[in-house]
Amino acid sequence: MERYSKTSPSKWQSQYSEEFKRFVCNDFLTGTLTKREIENKYNIGHSRLTYWLKEIGFDYSKPSIVSLPKMKDYTNKLSDKEEEMWLSVKMVDYNILYLK
């Protein structure tokens, strides 16, 4: 795989081959490495991967929100009868502690 397609007029600017761009984007999208780790692995600029992903139609710059399925409500809600029993126990405790 060729990394550069041609030498650019500037010595500071590189033109990467399409094959290399696709390879790096595919490695990011199918792997477990973060964007920063991919950029360090292939020694490319920090915004280069984001730019390439946009070129292929994957907008990585926007955070994606994934909706999770609703979970069963596990809060401690008492039925009316349980609430009444709980209050009566509290009243007994109160009477024992404070009304001796």
Side-chain angles (χ1 to χ4, degrees):
M1 172 185 44
E2 190 177 325
R3 182 179 173 103
Y4 302 110
S5 60
K6 64 178 183 176
T7 309
S8 104
S10 169
K11 70 176 185 175
W12 302 111
Q13 190 174 13
S14 303
Q15 283 209 330
Y16 299 96
S17 68
E18 290 300 316
E19 182 184 12
F20 178 73
K21 291 177 189 180
R22 283 191 307 264
F23 180 78
V24 172
C25 290
N26 190 44
D27 191 20
F28 171 70
L29 292 172
T30 59
T32 58
L33 297 176
T34 64
K35 184 175 154 269
R36 189 64 57 150
E37 290 169 336
I38 291 286
E39 291 165 346
N40 291 336
K41 178 180 177 182
Y42 293 105
N43 196 23
I44 58 177
H46 294 305
S47 63
R48 185 60 41 201
L49 180 59
T50 303
Y51 181 77
W52 292 345
L53 289 169
K54 282 183 182 180
E55 278 185 344
I56 63 171
F58 186 81
D59 194 2
Y60 183 73
S61 63
K62 294 180 181 176
S64 59
I65 298 172
V66 178
S67 61
L68 299 174
K70 291 197 174 206
M71 296 180 67
K72 185 177 177 183
D73 187 13
Y74 287 107
T75 57
N76 292 334
K77 293 185 179 178
L78 302 175
S79 67
D80 291 337
K81 188 172 183 177
E82 291 171 330
E83 183 77 29
E84 189 177 313
M85 289 174 53
W86 184 78
L87 286 173
S88 65
V89 168
K90 286 295 178 187
M91 289 295 284
V92 170
D93 288 346
Y94 178 80
N95 289 337
I96 291 173
L97 288 175
Y98 298 108
L99 301 176
K100 286 185 178 182

